Amino acid sequence: MHIGTTITQFIIEEQRKLTATGDFTSLLNDVVTACKVISKDVDRGALVGILGSAESENIQGETQKKLDLITNDVMIKSNEWAGHLAAMASEEMEDVYPIPPQYPKGKYLLVFDPLDGSSNIDVNISVGTIFSILRCPDGVENPTAEDFLQEGTKQVCAGFALYGPSTIMVLTTGNGVNGFTLDKTIGEFVLTHANMTIPEDTSEFSINTSNDRFWEAPVKRYVDECLAGETGVRGRNFNMRWVASMVAEVYRILTRGGIFMYPKDTKDPSKAGKLRLMYEANPMSFIVEQAGGLSHTGVERIMDIKPNELHQRVPVLLGSKNEVERLVAYHQEQ
Ligand code: AHM
Ligand code: MG
């Protein structure tokens, strides 16, 4: 029986159009392998004793889950050996991870959040892995954090795996967005969602409303207007969802539209937002924009930001074009 287009076939055929060397295809294959391993680990969960806290903190001061550390290790071990990468960086590591001296080095940089939404892992709600591939600057042998600080527009590829009822991989290399479902019977991701596009309009919003009192005026206005429904200025009712796993929210938006907001707030004035630019906001922005949506901070397009540090946080407003534009206009009006 024909199984359809596997992710490997898809990547090879895409790269052929660009007369690529095969290096990038192999790198992506290693990332895909890591996500299959993580999918299996998430699936096994309590059976193998890997749920719960690791009783350590990451650089952001967040308590790490055992699975944060396990999945970080899976990403490193799957991607360090093949000679495609010059270095890696992750949400779970303070500094850049250099390729160990016993392995050859390559021309790409890989940055990732190995387990996004990990506060959900112990309650069996969808989590995921987010990644972004950048080019290592020419002539750089031993990349430092500085070499990673490239605008989102420079990404070669961005993707995420979503470990939900199905395991799904969503990818862009700047030529549209495609989704693949893991067929666990054969261990292959198969193309199931070709050319994903985000509807321009939506009546569904997504924000953690427990932060309401800390929001700035434009976000408060936007949400209040959605909540007023058909009796307010919007003249129609809105629905709300909050999964607390960005991977799940973005996948929902790719499937049926919507707007996702993790805005700047005054809860902790030292932070510009909750989500991290390099391994959350930029890859998701690349995917969302390639699917016809928009991704903005309210003040600027996320992918135009010149990063100033590896673990930088940014406000994130992304999804259906017309809703994000409206919210940006509210920021400009103030
Ligand atoms: P994580 O990378 O530590 O899991 O944090 C990022 C997650 C996002 O997936 C999600 O949108 C957000 O944090 C949820 O935050 P909150 O717990 O404030 O609702
Ligand atoms: Mg995350």
Side-chain angles (χ1 to χ4, degrees), residues 91 113 116-118 208 242 244-246 260 262 274 276 280:
E91 174 174 333
D113 175 355
D116 181 58
S118 58
N208 184 343
W242 186 251
S245 280
M246 193 195 198
F260 168 89
Y262 215 117
K274 176 174 182 187
R276 278 57 55 117
E280 292 177 325

Side-chain angles (χ1 to χ4, degrees), residues 10-22:
F10 182 89
I11 300 163
I12 290 174
E13 287 179 352
E14 279 243 306
Q15 293 301 297
R16 238 181 234 152
K17 292 181 210 153
L18 308 172
T19 60
T21 57

Side-chain angles (χ1 to χ4, degrees), residues 83-102:
H84 310 307
L85 291 176
M88 291 183 246
S90 154
E91 174 174 333
E92 303 305 333
M93 298 181 294
E94 179 164 2
D95 298 319
V96 165
Y97 180 86
I99 298 302
Q102 69 269 35

Side-chain angles (χ1 to χ4, degrees), residues 3-12 180 186 188-191:
I3 53 162
T5 306
T6 65
I7 200 165
T8 312
Q9 181 184 350
F10 182 89
I11 300 163
I12 290 174
F180 305 81
I186 55 168
E188 287 277 9
F189 279 101
V190 178
L191 180 64

Side-chain angles (χ1 to χ4, degrees), residues 181-196:
T181 304
L182 182 60
D183 182 338
K184 292 181 181 166
T185 62
I186 55 168
E188 287 277 9
F189 279 101
V190 178
L191 180 64
T192 46
H193 297 71
N195 281 319
M196 301 183 88

